[in-house]
């Protein structure tokens, strides 16, 4: 039988060993995860492209979009899906959920999406889905009911899911004379549906993929996009998706500040090319109050070379006229204190490549 001293020594030794073990475990955890919560915060944003063959077979607009995001500094992203890349010229993260021939109504009815969501855990879904449903003459009400189901499943997977839903690209296959109008009819229903189902926590955002898209020049069969169509689809997704991502760190190509409009010295504007590609580019215009009094509104006039056209604007309202395009403030960014600035972005199309040459005509205080 041991004496009390031996028992105390044994107890103390066990306690010391326990402390050493816990300390070693803590040190191992620090080595494995040196940044702790910072490592968790650095997790890439997971983006699921969801749809049918327009998204996945091969769906090369995804490669254009991926590279455009990378060029703009959005490098902490991860395209996700249970399907892999299916052959596109540009290297990219090819994971996707674009199932050729699938109908949105069938995917909803057969409860297929939850398994894909569980396997990939997206934060954002980019959805162009319903072309085969429209082709099959399924009523818009049924397709939108399927959309309801899919959105509910997305939110069950992630209550903070951000969802971009396309108004479908035009369709004019040789064996479906009615399909073109069916797409128009269905697309007209999407904005109101999206507004009704959207929430502050899980917004559903409509992206117009129909306007400016030609089945004659932007598809190879009246349905599926060619390279020109891929560029247009990526161009429409880009600003809506980029707005949901943390700020990137692009290496811009500045075109230099443009002097303010004479007589309106309080309002100054400068333009920067954020990224460019064959057939288009993204620009950003910074508006600054250089005067001694606050501005209650502003308007920036732009001039573009022949053949170029501004196709999208965000954080501003675009109007066109004989004097060229003009962008005015929206409700929340018109008031600028002395020295304060704001910015709006735009996408422009052009016939070729080279250095973009959009210029500022003037900045007018309103």
């Amino acid at each position: 039988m041991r004496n009390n001293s031996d028992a105390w020594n044994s107890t103390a030794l066990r306690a010391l060993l326990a402390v050493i073990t816990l300390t070693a475990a803590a040190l191992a955890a620090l080595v494995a995860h040196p940044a702790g919560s910072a490592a968790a915060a650095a997790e890439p944003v997971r983006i699921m492209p969801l749809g049918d063959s327009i998204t996945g077979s091969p769906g090369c607009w995804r490669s254009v979009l991926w590279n455009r995001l990378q060029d703009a500094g959005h490098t902490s992203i991860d395209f996700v899906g249970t399907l892999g890349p299916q052959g596109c010229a540009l290297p990219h993260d090819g994971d996707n959920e674009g199932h050729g021939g699938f109908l949105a109504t069938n995917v909803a009815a057969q409860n297929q999406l939850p398994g894909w969501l569980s396997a990939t855990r997206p934060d954002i879904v980019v959805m162009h889905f319903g072309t085969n449903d429209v082709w099959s003459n399924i009523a818009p009400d049924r397709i939108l009911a399927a959309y309801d189901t899919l959105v509910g499943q997305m939110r069950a997977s992630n209550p903070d899911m951000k969802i971009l839903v396309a108004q479908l690209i035009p369709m004019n296959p040789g064996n479906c004379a009615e399909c073109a109008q069916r797409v128009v009819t269905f697309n007209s229903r999407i904005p109101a549906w999206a507004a009704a189902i959207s929430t502050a926590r899980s917004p559903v955002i409509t992206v117009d993929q129909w306007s400016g898209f030609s089945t004659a020049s932007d598809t190879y069969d009246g349905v599926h996009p060619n390279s020109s169509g891929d560029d247009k689809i990526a161009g429409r997704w880009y600003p809506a998706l980029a707005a949901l991502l943390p700020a990137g760190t692009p290496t811009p190509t500045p075109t230099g500040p443009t002097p303010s409009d004479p007589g309106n010295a309080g309002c100054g504007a400068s333009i920067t090319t954020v990224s460019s590609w064959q057939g288009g580019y993204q620009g950003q215009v910074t508006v600054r109050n250089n005067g001694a009094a606050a501005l209650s509104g502003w308007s920036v006039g732009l001039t573009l070379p022949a053949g170029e056209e501004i196709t999208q604007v965000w954080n501003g309202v675009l109007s066109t006229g004989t004097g060229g395009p003009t962008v005015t403030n929206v409700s929340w960014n018109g008031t600028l204190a002395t020295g304060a600035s704001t910015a709006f972005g735009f996408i422009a199309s052009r016939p070729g490549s080279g250095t973009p040459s959009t210029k500022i005509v003037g900045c007018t205080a309103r």
Side-chain angles (χ1 to χ4, degrees), residues 165-181:
V165 178
Q167 288 176 291
L168 306 178
I169 63 172
M171 175 169 53
N172 191 24
N175 60 351
C176 182
E178 300 81 14
C179 279
Q181 182 56 47

Side-chain angles (χ1 to χ4, degrees), residues 49-103:
L50 173 64
D52 46 42
S53 58
I54 291 171
T55 296
S57 301
C60 289
W61 60 261
R62 291 181 288 105
S63 67
V64 179
L65 178 59
W66 168 266
N67 281 277
R68 195 166 301 175
L69 289 165
Q70 299 295 302
D71 291 343
H74 297 293
T75 55
S76 186
I77 58 173
D78 182 10
F79 279 15
V80 298
T82 60
L83 303 176
Q86 294 166 298
C88 297
L90 290 173
H92 68 293
D93 182 348
D95 297 331
N96 72 96
E97 216 64 71
H99 298 263
F102 277 37
L103 280 68

